[in-house]
């Protein structure tokens, strides 16, 4: 028998496509959060989604015959992911909406997330995007920043500070998860992060469910189910796989598309008005995302 040939790298566009699928799942997160808070306390929404997702993830790990807990050598990384995307982003983004941020406004502010993720990819994952990438990414970031500042007092309220914190948490969790997904399947990466969070998430969820008002209306339960099953679990499966294949910084720029989708869902399901400035900002961001995907950069070995 002849020796196997060298592994053929997967085209970067496959990573972009997978990441885009994850973004499509994430785009419903803010509207679903708004629905869930119609019947549940915001803290219960934020923590409870991780509890349900963690139980589902644990069942999936056992059913697939995988180890139920991550390797001890990687436990620190999974704790970082859990702090970022199981607790940090859900809690801060939910509180931002509870503080009065409109879903459409929050969706556009989320357009800053790819820039934060790219910086983390350089600092933590050793990626080196080229100049075109940074120019296009900076253009998208500047566009979203200008939109936020143009909202005046509304744009710089406490809700935006909460959103800023949420973006940092997500960027850290995305980068660490994308780095691990280079050698571990994406579904296992998110499953282990959720399982690691369960010892904290379960008791907190039980206490909140027992001490806060719960009004199990249909729309609230549907929103919560989406958060727990899609936003917290299913969406991360293609997302982490996409970051690993396409490069964390480059594939992560697909999240610039999330404002467009978030605005659409806010208009369709929540009846929020689409202001011309909001639409123009989202379209400008779309142009910037296309430019980032035309760039090529250096990524560490093992990213394909």
């Amino acid at each position: 028998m002849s020796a196997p040939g060298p592994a053929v790298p997967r085209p970067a566009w496959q990573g972009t496509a997978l990441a885009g699928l994850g973004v499509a799942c994430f785009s419903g997160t803010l509207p679903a959060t708004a629905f869930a808070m119609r019947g549940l306390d915001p803290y219960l929404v934020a923590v409870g989604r991780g509890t349900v997702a963690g139980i589902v993830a644990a069942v999936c790990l056992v059913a697939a015959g995988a180890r139920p807990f991550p390797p001890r050598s990687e436990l620190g990384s999974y704790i970082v992911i859990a702090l970022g995307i199981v607790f940090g982003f859900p809690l801060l983004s939910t509180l931002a909406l509870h503080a009065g941020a409109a879903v459409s406004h929050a969706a556009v502010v989320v357009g800053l997330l790819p820039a934060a993720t790219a910086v983390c990819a350089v600092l933590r994952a050793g990626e080196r995007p080229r100049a075109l990438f940074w120019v296009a990414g900076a253009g998208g970031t500047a566009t979203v920043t200008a939109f936020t500042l143009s909202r005046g007092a509304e744009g710089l309220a406490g809700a935006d500070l909460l959103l800023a914190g949420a973006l940092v948490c997500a960027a850290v969790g995305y980068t660490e998860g994308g780095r691990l997904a280079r050698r571990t399947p994406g579904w296992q990466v998110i499953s282990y992060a959720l399982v690691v969070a369960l010892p904290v998430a379960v008791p907190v969820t039980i206490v909140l469910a027992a001490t806060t008002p719960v009004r199990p209306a249909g729309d609230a339960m549907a929103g919560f189910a989406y958060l727990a099953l899609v936003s917290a679990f299913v969406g991360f499966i293609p997302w982490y796989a996409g970051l690993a294949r396409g490069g964390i910084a480059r594939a992560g720029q697909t999240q610039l598309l999330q404002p467009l989708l978030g605005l659409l869902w806010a208009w369709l399901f929540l009846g929020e008005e689409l202001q011309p400035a909001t639409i123009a900002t989202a379209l400008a961001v779309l142009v910037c995302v296309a430019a980032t995907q035309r760039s090529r950069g250096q990524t560490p070995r093992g990213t394909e």
Side-chain angles (χ1 to χ4, degrees):
M1 294 179 62
S2 59
V8 179
R10 297 182 178 92
W13 68 262
Q14 293 184 5
T16 301
L18 285 168
L21 181 58
V23 168
C25 294
F26 296 152
S27 67
T29 298
L30 294 175
T33 300
F35 277 119
M37 287 194 297
R38 292 179 178 180
L40 302 173
D41 179 83
Y43 289 96
L44 179 57
V45 171
V47 181
R49 60 183 268 187
T51 297
V52 175
I55 294 172
V56 173
V59 171
C60 289
L61 287 169
V62 172
R67 59 189 302 164
F69 206 70
R72 180 171 298 185
S73 60
E74 297 178 344
L75 182 58
S77 292
Y78 283 105
I79 291 175
V80 169
I81 298 172
L83 290 174
I85 56 128
V86 181
F87 294 116
F89 180 84
L91 179 60
L92 294 176
S93 60
T94 300
L95 292 179
L97 295 181
H98 183 65
V103 170
S104 56
H105 175 78
V108 176
V109 174
V110 166
L112 293 170
L113 180 54
T117 302
V119 171
C120 289
V122 170
L123 296 176
R124 175 62 176 161
E127 297 189 0
R128 296 294 182 268
R130 293 185 177 178
L132 174 60
F133 171 91
W134 290 113
V135 170
T141 301
T143 300
V144 174
T145 301
F147 167 82
T148 304
L149 294 175
S150 71
R151 313 320 289 173
E154 294 180 2
L156 294 176
D160 278 305
L161 296 178
L162 291 169
L163 287 171
L167 299 186
V168 172
C169 289
V172 172
Y174 289 169
T175 301
E176 198 66 17
R179 192 179 66 84
L180 292 178
R182 294 170 181 169
R183 58 183 181 271
T184 304
W187 76 269
Q188 290 187 16
V189 171
I190 184 57
S191 293
Y192 287 141
L194 288 165
V195 168
V196 164
L198 280 178
V200 174
V202 169
V204 172
T205 299
I206 292 174
V207 170
L208 289 171
T211 59
T212 61
V214 175
R215 297 178 295 278
D219 54 355
M221 293 300 98
F224 183 78
Y226 186 96
L227 293 174
L229 300 178
V230 181
S231 299
F233 184 49
V234 173
F236 278 98
I237 297 174
W239 175 247
Y240 277 147
L243 296 185
R245 294 187 186 184
I248 297 170
R250 183 171 181 269
Q253 295 302 300
T254 56
Q255 195 147 40
L256 284 168
L257 298 171
Q258 187 165 331
L260 278 172
L261 296 173
L263 292 172
L264 178 61
W265 307 145
W267 174 64
L268 283 176
F269 299 116
L270 296 172
E272 292 191 5
E273 183 179 357
L274 294 183
Q275 299 290 342
T278 304
I279 299 174
T281 299
L283 292 176
V285 163
L286 180 60
V287 172
C288 293
V289 115
T292 63
Q293 298 311 297
R294 291 179 61 85
S295 68
R296 295 292 185 272
Q298 298 177 355
T299 55
R301 293 181 181 275
T303 60
E304 301 291 350

